[in-house]
Amino acid sequence: MSSKRVFLSESDQPTAWYNLQADLPKPVPPPLHPATNQPLGPEDLAPIFAMELIKQEVSQERWIGIPDEVRRVLSIWRPSPLTRAENLEKALKTPARIYFKDESHSPPGSHKPNTAVAQAYYNKQQGINRLTTETGAGQWGSALCFACKMFEMECKVYMVKCSYEQKPYRRSMMQIWGGSVTPSPSDETEAGRKMLAADPDTPGSLGMAISEAVEAAVSRDDTKYTLGSVLNHVLLHQSIIGLEAEKQFELAEDFPDVVIGCCGGGSNFAGLAFPFIRHRLAGKEIRFVATEPCSCPTMSRGQYRYDFGDTTMLTPLIKMFTLGHSFVPPGIHAGGLRYHGMAPMISLGAELGIIEAAAYHQLECFDAARLFASTEGIIPAPETAHAIRAVVNEAERCRQQGKEECIVFNFSGHGLCDLGAYDRYLAGELEDYAYPQEKIEAAIAELPQVE
Amino acid sequence: MSSKRVFLSESDQPTAWYNLQADLPKPVPPPLHPATNQPLGPEDLAPIFAMELIKQEVSQERWIGIPDEVRRVLSIWRPSPLTRAENLEKALKTPARIYFKDESHSPPGSHKPNTAVAQAYYNKQQGINRLTTETGAGQWGSALCFACKMFEMECKVYMVKCSYEQKPYRRSMMQIWGGSVTPSPSDETEAGRKMLAADPDTPGSLGMAISEAVEAAVSRDDTKYTLGSVLNHVLLHQSIIGLEAEKQFELAEDFPDVVIGCCGGGSNFAGLAFPFIRHRLAGKEIRFVATEPCSCPTMSRGQYRYDFGDTTMLTPLIKMFTLGHSFVPPGIHAGGLRYHGMAPMISLGAELGIIEAAAYHQLECFDAARLFASTEGIIPAPETAHAIRAVVNEAERCRQQGKEECIVFNFSGHGLCDLGAYDRYLAGELEDYAYPQEKIEAAIAELPQVE
C-alpha cells in the first residue's frame, strides 16, 4: 500500500515565518495616507493594529519567529497533511504528479486561522482584550472568533446584513466560540447610523462593515481591528503552509514545478507560494499560478495602481492590482473571492512576472470540484475549486505534452459550510458571468492619480 | 512544546478488524425470523446483504483481515489522531487525563465511512454495483454515497421526506458524490405507494425508508441493502478506531481507565470500546460508559428483549435493549441518537455488566459541547456532545476524588453540518425532555413473547 499522505510530526512544525519582502528584487510600495498621499508611518496605524503586527507589516527580516503560544494553538490541526492526489491523476490520465496541502482540518475548516491565531496573540500580548472585524459569508469572522476564544479574548464581528440573515449557521459557529455578531450596518456606530439613515433597508456590504469594525476598534482603548487577508503581516503568518510543504516535499523526495492557489485577497495563495518563490528567486524553475473568478478578475483584467482598500474610500491607498474600489461583485457568483483588489506583495510579484494569473468561470470550477470530490473524496470550498480548475487544466496540458511535472495546490478549505452553493450548482441555477471590461475601465478611470 | 496529538503513520494502520464475538463469555443471541421465531440462516439474509458481510455477522474468528483496497480508501483520513484534551483538563481543573479519538476528519465528517467503505467493497467484490439504504438527517447516507463513489458504484438513498425538505445541504453532499436521493415515502416502491395511499402528506420516518430501501434492494439482482449501525459486521468494521487508539496509547505511554462513547445504534461506541473490552475480559480494570439522550434512553430505561429492528415490524427479531419498536422520538430533541433499539453485542455487554449506560438531557450536552469548542477549538456533532457530557462528569468526579484517571472518548463527528441544532440551542429554543416511563412500558408490553 503506497503512502499518500505526507505527515510531519509536531516537532517539525516551523519555528519561524518566512517574509518574502526580504528577497523580492524590488520593495513593496508603501501604503499612502488618503488625505496627504504620503507614506503611512507606524503612528498612523497604531490606533488600529497591534504594534507588533505593524512592525511585521514593514519588516525586511527574512525570518520572524513564531511564538510558542501561537504554535501551541496551531498544533490543534498543524502540521497539515500534504497529500498526493493519485486518484485524480488516474482520472485525468496525466503523467503529472499532483499534490495538495490540506488546510481544511482547522476547526473553522479553512486556512484563515493561521493568521487569526497570530493576530489574536500579538494583540493579547499588548494588553488588548477585544478585537473587531468584518465578515461576509463568515469564514474570516469564524476564524477570528475561534482564535479569540483560544486566548480568552472578546471578538466583535460586523457581518454583512444580508449574509447575517441568509447564513445563520456561520453566525452560530461564531457564537459557539463566544463571538458577538452584529448585522451591518448597525446603529452601534456613527458610520452604521449614517448608512441606515441613508437607506434603512440596505443589505449591507463588506465596505460598510469595515467602516463599522474600524470605528468600533479606534473608539475603545481595549480594542483593535484585524484583517483576514491582503496585508503583508497576514501573508507572513500564512507562510507556515508553504514552509511545511517544503519539508514534506523533502520527505516525499519530490519538488513542485507548478504552484497553484486561489486568490481573493491572496492570503492562501501567498501562504503556499511565497516560500517557493524564494527558490525561484534563487534560480529554480517554478511557475506560480494565482487563480480567480471571471466575475472578479482582479489580476487578469485589473490594473496595477494605487487604490483604496475598501469601497467607501476610508482606508489608506494601496499599490495593487485592482478592478477599482467601486467594483460590485455580481449576485450570481457563488464562489467567494470577491475582493476588488489584491495583496500588494502578490500584485508586485505579478507585476514582476513571477506570478501568473488565470481566471475561470464558476461552472467549470464546480465541475472540477465535483471531480475532486469524486476521486479524492473531499468536498472543496467553492473558493478552492478555482485552484482545482487550474490543476486539472495543467494536468491535462502535461498529458498532451507528455510531461511528468509536479503540481501542488493549496486546498484552502472544505465545502461543508458551503453546500448551499453546491445545491444551486446541482440544481442548474448557476450561470457563468464575466465582469464587463467597460465597467472595469470606468471604475479604474475614477482612481486617484498617485504614483 | 508538548505533543498533544498522537499520530500513527499509515504503515501502522491495523491490518485486521477485531471481533468481540470471539471473546465474549456468552454468545450473542441470534436474530430470529419474524414469521417462525427460528434463528435466521445465511440464506435468509442473502437477498439483502453481500455474502461476505453475512459471514462476518456470525463469525467467531477473533481477527478478520482488512482488504488492502479498503485500507487504501480509509487512508484518505486514517489513522485518525488521538488527541490529549489538555485545555479541557485545565478548564475542569481535573487531575484526570482526557483523550479523544478524532473521527471527524473523514470527508463526510464522522466515523460512519469506516463501515461504509468496507460494505461497498465486499458488495463490489460480489459483483454488486448498486447499494440502497435509508437515511434520516443524512449522516449515514452521505457516508455510503462517499464510499460508493470511491468504488465507482451506484448509491440509492431513501431520505426521510421531512429531512429531505428541511436539510437540502446533506442531500447536496450525497449528490456531489453521485448518490441518487429520493424523499421517502416515494412512489418508486410498493411499500412507498402503500404509505402514500394511507397518508399522502406523511413526513416519512426511518421505518418507512428502511422498507423502501430493502424492497429496492431485493427487487434487483445488481443491488443490495446496507445498514450503518446495530449489526455485528458494522461494529466489526468500526473496531479499527479502538485498535488504532490502542497503538496510540502505547506511544503515549498511557492506558484508559474509562472509555466513553455516545450510542444511537451503537457503532461509534463499539468501535472505540470493543478492542479495550478485550483487555477487561483479560483482567484489566476498565470502565465502559455508553451515553444516550434522556429523550431516547434505550439502555438506561429500556429492557433486554427480542424486538423488531424497525417500526414497521418487517425486520428479523433481534435480542437487544429496546424502548419498543413503536417508540417515536420527540420533535424537540435536536441531538440525534434516536434509535429505539441498541446493537445486540452492546446490549449483551450491558446485560453482562461490562458496559454502563448513562442518559443525559440535551441542554447539558450542548453546554458540554460548547465548553469543548471553547477549550479544544473543535465543534462537536450534537451526538458526540452526549459523550462529552459524560467526560466532563467523570473528570469532575476525578477532581472531587483526587483521582488521576485516564479517560478516553470517541469524538465521533464534527458539528459543521449540524449548526442548525446549535442555532436553536443558542437561541434558547431547546428544552429538556425525558421520555415518559409509562410510554416505554406500554411499548414494551406490546413486544412479542420470544426468548
Side-chain angles (χ1 to χ4, degrees):
Chain A
M1 204 172 59
S2 69
S3 183
K4 282 185 57 177
R5 290 195 293 177
V6 186
F7 276 114
L8 293 178
S9 67
E10 261 171 54
S11 54
D12 283 329
Q13 206 183 308
T15 53
W17 290 298
Y18 169 66
N19 182 9
L20 181 61
Q21 293 192 74
D23 290 320
L24 276 177
K26 278 177 67 174
V28 181
L32 306 180
H33 196 290
T36 63
N37 288 354
Q38 292 304 304
L40 288 180
E43 67 286 358
D44 296 308
L45 295 169
I48 303 177
F49 294 114
M51 192 46 71
E52 205 58 39
L53 297 171
I54 296 170
K55 285 187 199 161
Q56 291 178 358
E57 188 64 20
V58 297
S59 171
Q60 302 296 314
E61 293 293 316
R62 183 169 291 113
W63 300 101
I64 294 176
I66 309 176
D68 279 353
E69 278 296 286
V70 171
R71 296 174 67 220
R72 195 186 58 76
V73 176
L74 296 182
S75 76
I76 292 174
W77 73 99
R78 306 208 73 86
S80 70
L82 178 76
T83 304
R84 174 93 182 261
E86 287 174 346
N87 295 332
L88 180 62
E89 293 171 12
K90 273 179 213 149
L92 295 170
K93 300 187 176 65
T94 180
R97 300 180 303 288
I98 302 173
Y99 295 83
F100 59 100
K101 182 70 172 161
D102 190 352
E103 294 295 303
S104 72
H105 295 293
S106 74
S110 81
H111 68 290
K112 293 275 185 192
N114 293 332
T115 183
V117 170
Q119 292 190 49
Y121 170 81
Y122 287 116
N123 275 284
K124 176 96 174 182
Q125 285 299 102
Q126 195 180 312
I128 301 298
N129 283 312
R130 187 166 169 271
L131 294 178
T132 69
T133 200
E134 72 288 338
T135 202
Q139 208 173 53
W140 167 243
S142 57
L144 191 68
C145 289
F146 159 75
C148 283
K149 178 48 81 176
M150 293 300 102
F151 291 107
E152 290 174 7
M153 299 168 73
E154 284 180 57
C155 189
K156 174 85 185 177
V157 180
Y158 291 90
M159 185 171 188
V160 176
K161 199 203 279 174
C162 61
S163 295
Y164 182 93
E165 285 161 1
Q166 288 163 15
K167 306 199 170 183
Y169 296 165
R170 276 274 181 189
R171 184 191 75 209
S172 302
M173 195 190 290
M174 294 187 260
Q175 290 169 334
I176 292 167
W177 283 313
S180 164
V181 188
T182 302
S184 168
S186 75
D187 60 6
E188 290 180 3
T189 65
E190 189 79 21
R193 286 188 292 270
K194 268 190 201 163
M195 296 181 236
L196 285 173
D199 178 3
D201 297 322
T202 174
S205 71
L206 265 182
M208 293 183 192
I210 291 174
S211 305
E212 288 202 272
V214 171
E215 181 185 328
V218 298
S219 63
R220 273 175 61 165
D221 282 348
D222 66 343
T223 304
K224 297 281 180 203
Y225 170 74
T226 62
L227 204 63
S229 191
V230 178
L231 299 181
N232 300 341
H233 69 270
V234 176
L235 277 48
L236 173 77
H237 302 151
Q238 294 292 358
S239 69
I240 193 167
I241 300 171
L243 294 169
E244 286 179 6
E246 243 189 302
K247 293 192 189 189
Q248 286 162 315
F249 273 113
E250 258 181 59
L251 292 174
E253 299 178 356
D254 209 339
F255 196 84
D257 298 296
V258 189
V259 177
I260 295 171
C262 63
C263 274
S267 74
N268 98 70
F269 169 79
L272 176 63
F274 282 8
F276 290 101
I277 288 184
R278 170 166 121 262
H279 294 283
R280 162 140 166 186
L281 294 171
K284 277 241 187 200
E285 273 189 41
I286 318 174
R287 287 174 52 220
F288 297 90
V289 182
T291 70
E292 52 189 12
C294 287
S295 50
C296 183
T298 312
M299 288 204 287
S300 315
R301 300 205 276 119
Q303 288 186 20
Y304 188 51
R305 292 281 292 270
Y306 266 106
D307 191 5
F308 295 98
D310 67 336
T311 47
T312 44
M313 299 185 283
L314 286 169
T315 71
L317 289 163
I318 301 168
K319 184 81 178 272
M320 60 183 176
F321 273 89
T322 179
L323 296 168
H325 55 266
S326 60
F327 169 82
V328 180
I332 187 68
H333 176 61
L337 310 173
R338 295 153 174 265
Y339 187 58
H340 71 273
M342 183 53 59
M345 286 175 78
I346 294 175
S347 296
L348 177 57
E351 181 70 7
L352 292 170
I354 298 168
I355 296 166
E356 309 163 31
Y360 298 106
H361 281 292
Q362 65 180 349
L363 289 179
E364 63 186 340
C365 292
F366 278 102
D367 290 347
R370 182 153 64 165
L371 176 64
F372 189 84
S374 299
T375 51
E376 296 301 318
I378 313 169
I379 299 175
E383 291 85 353
T384 312
H386 291 78
I388 299 173
R389 179 72 256 170
V391 169
V392 170
N393 291 7
E394 291 289 333
E396 286 176 346
R397 175 188 58 74
C398 287
R399 184 185 66 212
Q400 286 156 10
Q401 300 177 342
K403 288 199 175 167
E404 295 182 5
E405 294 183 15
C406 172
I407 300 168
V408 62
F409 74 99
N410 200 5
F411 191 86
S412 56
H414 64 60
L416 300 187
C417 297
D418 304 284
L419 289 170
Y422 279 96
D423 203 41
R424 291 166 63 197
Y425 162 68
L426 292 167
E429 289 168 19
L430 293 186
E431 285 170 31
D432 284 341
Y433 175 91
Y435 201 76
Q437 188 65 27
E438 61 274 19
K439 281 178 103 171
I440 297 172
E441 282 166 19
I444 288 174
E446 286 171 17
L447 297 189
Q449 294 296 332
V450 185
E451 272 319 307
Chain B
M1 203 173 60
S2 68
S3 183
K4 281 185 58 176
R5 289 194 295 177
V6 186
F7 275 115
L8 293 178
S9 68
E10 261 171 54
S11 54
D12 284 328
Q13 204 184 310
T15 55
W17 291 297
Y18 169 66
N19 182 11
L20 180 62
Q21 293 193 74
D23 290 320
L24 276 177
K26 276 177 68 174
V28 180
L32 305 180
H33 195 290
T36 63
N37 287 356
Q38 292 304 303
L40 287 180
E43 66 286 358
D44 295 308
L45 295 169
I48 303 175
F49 295 113
M51 192 45 70
E52 206 58 40
L53 298 171
I54 296 171
K55 285 187 199 159
Q56 291 178 356
E57 188 65 20
V58 297
S59 171
Q60 301 296 313
E61 293 294 316
R62 184 168 291 111
W63 299 102
I64 294 176
I66 308 176
D68 279 353
E69 278 297 285
V70 171
R71 295 174 69 221
R72 195 186 59 78
V73 177
L74 295 182
S75 75
I76 292 173
W77 73 98
R78 305 207 73 86
S80 70
L82 178 76
T83 304
R84 175 92 181 261
E86 287 174 346
N87 294 333
L88 180 61
E89 293 170 14
K90 272 180 214 149
L92 294 170
K93 298 186 176 63
T94 180
R97 301 180 303 288
I98 301 173
Y99 295 83
F100 59 101
K101 181 70 172 161
D102 190 352
E103 293 295 304
S104 72
H105 295 293
S106 74
S110 81
H111 68 290
K112 294 276 185 191
N114 293 331
T115 183
V117 170
Q119 292 190 50
Y121 169 81
Y122 287 116
N123 275 284
K124 176 96 173 182
Q125 285 299 102
Q126 195 180 312
I128 302 298
N129 283 312
R130 186 166 169 271
L131 295 178
T132 69
T133 201
E134 71 287 338
T135 202
Q139 207 172 55
W140 166 244
S142 57
L144 190 67
C145 289
F146 159 75
C148 283
K149 178 51 81 176
M150 293 299 103
F151 291 108
E152 291 174 7
M153 298 167 74
E154 284 179 57
C155 190
K156 173 85 187 176
V157 180
Y158 291 89
M159 186 172 189
V160 176
K161 198 203 283 176
C162 61
S163 295
Y164 182 91
E165 285 160 1
Q166 287 163 17
K167 306 199 172 185
Y169 296 166
R170 276 273 183 191
R171 185 191 73 209
S172 302
M173 195 190 290
M174 293 187 260
Q175 291 169 333
I176 292 167
W177 284 313
S180 164
V181 188
T182 301
S184 168
S186 75
D187 59 7
E188 291 180 3
T189 65
E190 189 78 23
R193 286 188 291 271
K194 269 189 199 163
M195 296 181 237
L196 285 172
D199 178 4
D201 297 322
T202 175
S205 72
L206 265 183
M208 293 183 194
I210 291 175
S211 305
E212 289 203 271
V214 171
E215 181 185 326
V218 298
S219 64
R220 270 175 63 165
D221 282 347
D222 66 343
T223 304
K224 297 280 181 204
Y225 169 75
T226 62
L227 204 64
S229 191
V230 177
L231 299 181
N232 300 340
H233 69 268
V234 176
L235 276 49
L236 173 77
H237 301 152
Q238 294 292 356
S239 70
I240 194 166
I241 300 171
L243 294 169
E244 287 178 5
E246 243 188 302
K247 293 192 188 188
Q248 286 162 315
F249 274 113
E250 259 182 58
L251 292 174
E253 299 179 355
D254 208 338
F255 196 83
D257 297 298
V258 189
V259 177
I260 295 171
C262 62
C263 274
S267 75
N268 98 70
F269 169 79
L272 177 63
F274 282 8
F276 290 101
I277 288 184
R278 171 166 120 259
H279 294 283
R280 162 137 166 189
L281 294 170
K284 276 242 188 200
E285 271 190 43
I286 318 174
R287 286 174 53 220
F288 297 90
V289 183
T291 70
E292 52 189 13
C294 286
S295 50
C296 183
T298 312
M299 288 204 287
S300 315
R301 300 205 277 119
Q303 289 185 20
Y304 188 52
R305 290 283 291 271
Y306 265 106
D307 192 5
F308 295 97
D310 67 334
T311 47
T312 45
M313 299 184 284
L314 287 170
T315 71
L317 289 163
I318 301 168
K319 185 80 178 272
M320 59 182 176
F321 273 89
T322 179
L323 297 167
H325 56 264
S326 60
F327 169 82
V328 179
I332 187 68
H333 176 62
L337 311 173
R338 295 155 173 261
Y339 187 56
H340 71 274
M342 184 53 60
M345 286 175 78
I346 294 174
S347 296
L348 178 57
E351 182 69 8
L352 293 169
I354 299 168
I355 296 166
E356 308 164 32
Y360 299 105
H361 280 293
Q362 64 182 350
L363 290 179
E364 63 186 340
C365 292
F366 277 102
D367 290 347
R370 183 153 62 167
L371 175 65
F372 189 84
S374 298
T375 51
E376 296 300 318
I378 313 170
I379 299 175
E383 291 85 353
T384 312
H386 292 77
I388 300 173
R389 180 72 256 169
V391 169
V392 170
N393 290 6
E394 291 289 333
E396 287 176 344
R397 175 187 58 74
C398 287
R399 184 185 66 212
Q400 286 156 12
Q401 300 178 340
K403 287 198 174 166
E404 295 182 5
E405 293 184 15
C406 171
I407 300 168
V408 63
F409 74 99
N410 199 4
F411 191 87
S412 56
H414 64 60
L416 300 187
C417 297
D418 304 284
L419 290 169
Y422 280 95
D423 203 41
R424 291 165 63 196
Y425 162 68
L426 293 167
E429 290 169 17
L430 294 186
E431 286 171 32
D432 284 341
Y433 175 91
Y435 201 76
Q437 188 66 28
E438 61 275 17
K439 281 177 104 172
I440 297 173
E441 283 166 18
I444 288 175
E446 287 171 17
L447 296 189
Q449 294 296 331
V450 185
E451 272 321 307

